Amino acid sequence: MPSDLTTLHPFDQATGIRAEGDHLTGATSDLYWAFVGPFGGATAATMLRAVLDHGERRGEPLALTVNYCAPIQRGGFAVDVRLVRANRSSQHWAIELTQAGEGVVATATAVFAERRPSWSHQAAAMPQVRPAAEVPALPNDKSSSWLRQYEFRFASGDPRFGATLNEQPASARSEVWLSDSPPRPVDALSLAAMADAFFGRIFHVRGGLVPFGTVSMTTYFHVDAADLAAEAITGLLGVADAHVFHKSYADQTAELWSPSGRLLATSQQIAYFKA
């Protein structure tokens, strides 16, 4: 990362880290602030960047699991990265994010792999939706600052929040065109963040805002840097859904598609809610 982070895109500023002695350090960004802490996708991207920038890193991101242990407070933090195991084709990493006085606030594991040419087949098909240009964007006067860092164009399942919660559950599924605002080329870091750039499924199902927070999220990357460079995109189609809401916890599934119909990443998470 350049030493002058202020010259970078706001996303790269928010997820930027510096080497200080044996530790990596960073700081939260008010631009990517959510209800009680940083947008979880920015935290995931920060922890992935710590490995991407590591001198011993080999290969491309294959899987990233982030566990959100406690609310991250405004201000600085340290990131510790450890190579747990490596072989000829893959590396396994452990990452911890800590804050003074708080201890460990997030942990992560990442798998990197050498992606070699092979037989390929994509069984999944991209949903048939209107092109992004034909879908109106949500107004930019969004309540939470991190939402203003993205452009949302809902092809289906747009948020419809009322003064009271729904008596009958609505659909948990959304199909939404996503892009950074201002635009930024899609790379592994933005995939890690966009995997979490969906409104809580409980908000859609109940039709209103309730206490909510991601506990653990795993993202699988199905493309490498060369694949993304060939796509040359600044936006993608995100599809989010859920299977079950039970005893204060719910799942969320996500798919991230290029406009050409390529499945870039898939994600699963478990989240807390109070409703």
Side-chain angles (χ1 to χ4, degrees):
M1 293 291 296
S3 58
D4 183 8
L5 297 178
T6 61
T7 63
L8 301 176
H9 186 281
F11 176 77
D12 295 297
Q13 294 180 41
T15 61
I17 50 177
R18 303 174 187 272
E20 293 190 4
D22 294 331
H23 296 279
L24 300 171
T25 63
T28 61
S29 168
D30 286 347
L31 292 178
Y32 286 82
W33 200 255
F35 295 109
V36 296
F39 161 50
T43 300
T46 300
M47 299 179 88
L48 181 63
R49 188 189 290 279
V51 180
L52 280 168
D53 290 353
H54 198 284
E56 295 182 49
R57 187 266 297 182
R58 299 291 181 270
E60 304 269 358
L62 192 67
L64 173 69
T65 296
V66 180
N67 301 307
Y68 300 90
C69 305
I72 299 174
Q73 305 301 313
R74 275 189 170 89
F77 54 76
V79 183
D80 291 296
V81 182
R82 179 169 62 93
L83 179 58
V84 178
R85 183 74 183 251
N87 55 41
R88 289 198 307 170
S89 61
S90 65
Q91 292 183 326
H92 299 259
W93 295 83
I95 311 111
E96 285 189 347
L97 194 152
T98 60
Q99 285 188 303
E102 300 291 333
V104 176
V105 290
T107 66
T109 58
V111 181
F112 279 63
E114 299 283 354
R115 302 191 71 118
R116 301 182 178 91
S118 71
W119 178 80
S120 297
H121 171 58
Q122 181 179 290
M126 178 179 171
Q128 298 298 308
V129 300
R130 290 177 293 164
E134 298 178 10
V135 181
L138 283 186
N140 204 30
D141 57 348
K142 308 176 188 78
S143 58
S144 192
S145 63
W146 80 267
L147 295 173
R148 294 192 288 272
Q149 310 314 311
Y150 289 97
E151 182 182 84
F152 298 85
R153 296 176 180 266
F154 279 87
S156 72
D158 53 306
R160 300 181 181 182
F161 304 155
T164 59
L165 300 181
N166 297 332
E167 291 186 8
Q168 295 297 322
S171 172
R173 183 178 173 89
S174 292
E175 298 166 330
V176 55
W177 292 103
L178 287 168
S179 61
D180 287 286
S181 181
R184 177 185 181 278
V186 172
D187 60 9
L189 293 168
S190 50
L191 290 179
M194 287 181 177
D196 195 40
F198 300 94
F199 302 162
R201 297 299 90 193
I202 188 68
F203 301 164
H204 290 260
V205 171
R206 296 306 311 274
L209 300 179
V210 300
F212 166 89
T214 300
V215 178
S216 182
M217 177 176 73
T218 297
T219 300
Y220 301 104
F221 302 86
H222 305 305
V223 291
D224 60 17
D227 296 325
L228 288 171
E231 291 288 336
I233 56 175
T234 59
L236 51 77
L237 179 71
V239 181
D241 209 340
H243 295 95
V244 62
F245 302 82
H246 181 63
K247 290 188 175 179
S248 303
Y249 291 91
D251 75 325
Q252 176 178 289
T253 63
E255 301 169 355
L256 303 179
W257 296 86
S258 73
S260 69
R262 186 167 196 168
L263 186 58
L264 306 176
T266 51
S267 182
Q268 291 184 311
Q269 66 173 257
I270 192 78
Y272 163 82
F273 68 88
K274 185 177 181 180

